[in-house]
């Protein structure tokens, strides 16, 4: 049931918004005039802080960005654009909510274009995706030569895992401004996520050449090298970033790389250092979560259960419902007994509905992940009715909320249930739609291998075996899959 709702994101190429039946043309400026999104503030001090924040954002210095956005809102309490960007970037759920609501309250005091910005970013957080995307589409058509707006859109699309659409936006920005470093950074990631490492490396070389003394180009290069399986080269880049700025946070990159290399003790040591210098409670708990995954990679069930339980408690104390739920969900994925796993999934669901601040988009994305796991664990105890009920909830969500996470979760769950029902051929379209999920990829490989589709099986096996992401999904599937491939290769 593919819902390619995002095909209308042919950004910059048309003066017509193609969303929700909207046909009103958007007036674009003459080609020789560069018009940018207005910034409405009565305070020169606030505007200076805002400009400094945006430059820091382009260098991916997020703590400094947040600090200066807060300074801008303090200097001008009516600075709606600063409030909505603070909401977009803050790791603090309470701050995300209060700044979003304040920006919406102030919307009538700013320009129509800034109202579109607020409608886009607030709407996305509140799961009003269609009007949000319509607003973004209108903004980009109205300001086709505003490179910072293009970067903001491309970066947001990357966060939504809409890599093809992000690449479209960012390529246009780079075409207009070849030396725009921030766009080159995200564009390299988009190419890497699409599997085109040659273009990713070439783009990253341009980025590093533009800012050789900044830590982020080396940190980003390290992540892309790691995605390509070039671990030693990745470590070299991360260490260059650390030498340039020990406070930037590239210890996390070193730790994630060690974890993928199978050096779990070294990874935990690096995570411990990164946790000490975490700039926020959310960053601290996220790094604790990453460290806990190393125990899964070590096949140490006792330590893994202890570590994830600690993370869940820390997240609960900090009011971080999404991370608390994620810790319980991972325990639900890793628990050997499916019935006990279902209790962890219930705890994850409960965490999302406790009295903690969490945006609708984050809550629903995490709920979709929980339901995806609930389907597979219910299948393991042959409770296909419970699996079907969970799938029905996912189908409703996927039909009403335009989130890539929800869509992938739905297709993966639908494919898994069809396989359990003996309908493997019917499962293939769903598993192909959800083929960014390691478990869906493994199921798809098994079907292709069993029905004689050798070329398809080989292609999906190559993709899965080369997946180098420091996630629990990768940890639970990919290392074992690589071993099974070696074992199959050794058979006569």
């Amino acid at each position: 049931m593919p819902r390619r709702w995002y095909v209308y994101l042919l950004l910059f190429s048309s003066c017509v918004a193609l969303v929700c039946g909207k046909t009103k043309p958007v007036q674009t400026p003459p080609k020789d005039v560069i018009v940018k999104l207005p910034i409405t503030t009565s305070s020169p001090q606030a505007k200076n802080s805002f400009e400094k924040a945006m430059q820091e954002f382009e260098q991916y210095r997020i703590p400094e960005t947040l600090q200066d956005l807060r300074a801008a809102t303090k200097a001008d309490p009516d600075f709606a654009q600063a409030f909505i960007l603070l909401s977009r970037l803050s790791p603090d759920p309470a701050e995300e909510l209060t700044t979003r609501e304040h920006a919406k309250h102030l919307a009538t005091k700013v320009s129509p274009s800034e109202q579109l910005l607020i409608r886009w970013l607030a709407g996305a957080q509140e799961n009003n995706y269609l009007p949000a995307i319509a607003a973004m589409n209108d903004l980009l058509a109205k300001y086709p030569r505003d490179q910072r707006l293009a970067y903001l859109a491309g970066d947001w699309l990357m966060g939504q895992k809409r890599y093809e659409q992000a690449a479209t936006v960012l390529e246009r920005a780079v075409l207009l401004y070849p030396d725009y470093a921030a766009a080159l950074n995200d564009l390299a990631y988009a190419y890497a996520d699409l599997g085109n490492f040659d273009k990713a490396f070439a783009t990253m070389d341009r980025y590093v050449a533009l800012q050789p003394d900044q830590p982020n180009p080396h940190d980003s290069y390290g992540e892309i090298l790691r995605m390509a399986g070039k671990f030693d080269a990745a470590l070299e880049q991360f260490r260059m970033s650390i030498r340039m700025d020990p406070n930037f946070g590239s210890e996390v990159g070193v730790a994630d790389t060690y974890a993928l290399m199978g050096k779990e003790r070294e990874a935990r040591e690096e995570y411990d250092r990164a946790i000490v210098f975490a700039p926020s409670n959310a960053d601290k708990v996220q790094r604790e979560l990453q460290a806990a995954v190393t125990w899964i990679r070590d096949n140490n069930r006792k330590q893994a259960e202890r570590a994830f339980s600690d993370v869940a408690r820390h997240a609960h104390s900090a009011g971080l419902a999404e991370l608390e739920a994620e810790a319980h969900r991972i325990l639900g994925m890793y628990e050997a007994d499916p019935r006990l796993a279902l209790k962890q999934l219930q705890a994850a669901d409960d965490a999302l509905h406790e009295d903690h601040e969490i945006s609708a988009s984050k809550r629903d994305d995490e709920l979709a992940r929980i339901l995806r796991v609930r389907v597979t664990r219910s299948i393991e105890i042959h409770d296909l009715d419970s699996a079907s009920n969970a799938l029905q909830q996912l189908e409703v969500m996927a039909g009403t909320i335009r989130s890539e996470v929800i869509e992938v979760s739905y297709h993966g769950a639908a494919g898994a249930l069809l396989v359990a029902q003996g309908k493997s051929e019917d499962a293939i379209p769903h598993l192909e739609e959800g083929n960014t999920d390691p478990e869906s990829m493994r199921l798809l490989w098994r079907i292709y291998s069993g029905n004689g589709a050798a070329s398809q099986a080989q292609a999906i096996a190559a993709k899965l075996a080369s997946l180098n992401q420091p996630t629990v999904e990768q940890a639970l599937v990919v290392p074992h899959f690589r071993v099974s491939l070696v074992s199959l290769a050794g058979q006569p």
Side-chain angles (χ1 to χ4, degrees), residues 432-446:
E432 287 177 338
E433 285 292 326
N435 71 1
T436 56
D437 165 38
E439 179 58 32
S440 294
M441 293 166 71
R442 181 167 60 181
L443 276 176
L444 193 56
W445 172 76
R446 287 174 178 168

Side-chain angles (χ1 to χ4, degrees), residues 376-397:
T376 57
R377 301 311 313 245
S378 297
I379 288 170
E380 291 177 37
I381 57 174
H382 308 291
D383 186 356
L384 299 191
D385 287 340
S386 293
S388 295
N389 288 336
L391 179 62
Q392 287 173 9
Q393 293 179 61
L394 266 175
E395 186 172 13
V396 170
M397 293 175 70

Side-chain angles (χ1 to χ4, degrees), residues 388-455:
S388 295
N389 288 336
L391 179 62
Q392 287 173 9
Q393 293 179 61
L394 266 175
E395 186 172 13
V396 170
M397 293 175 70
T400 56
I401 303 171
R402 305 309 188 184
S403 160
E404 178 75 2
V405 169
I406 294 173
E407 185 169 326
V408 168
S409 297
Y410 163 70
H411 285 296
L417 183 56
L418 285 166
V419 170
Q421 293 169 335
K423 303 174 182 177
S424 293
E425 291 298 321
D426 293 337
I428 289 176
H430 286 287
L431 296 174
E432 287 177 338
E433 285 292 326
N435 71 1
T436 56
D437 165 38
E439 179 58 32
S440 294
M441 293 166 71
R442 181 167 60 181
L443 276 176
L444 193 56
W445 172 76
R446 287 174 178 168
I447 295 171
Y448 285 147
S449 298
N451 67 10
S455 60

Side-chain angles (χ1 to χ4, degrees), residues 175-195:
L175 181 65
L176 292 169
Y177 303 94
D179 292 338
Y180 187 30
L184 287 167
N185 179 32
D186 271 12
L187 183 57
Y189 276 107
Y191 289 146
D193 281 304
L194 292 169

Side-chain angles (χ1 to χ4, degrees), residues 91 93 280-290 308 311-316 318-330 348 351-352 357-358 362 366:
S280 70
N281 283 335
D283 289 300
K284 180 178 180 179
V285 175
Q286 181 62 59
R287 294 172 188 187
E288 290 175 348
L289 191 73
Q290 289 295 100
F308 283 110
V311 171
R313 283 192 292 272
H314 295 167
H316 181 82
L320 299 169
E322 182 185 19
L323 289 171
E324 181 184 357
E326 184 176 358
H328 283 297
R329 171 173 57 83
I330 292 172
L352 291 178
E357 300 294 353
I358 182 172
K362 290 179 180 177
E366 182 57 32

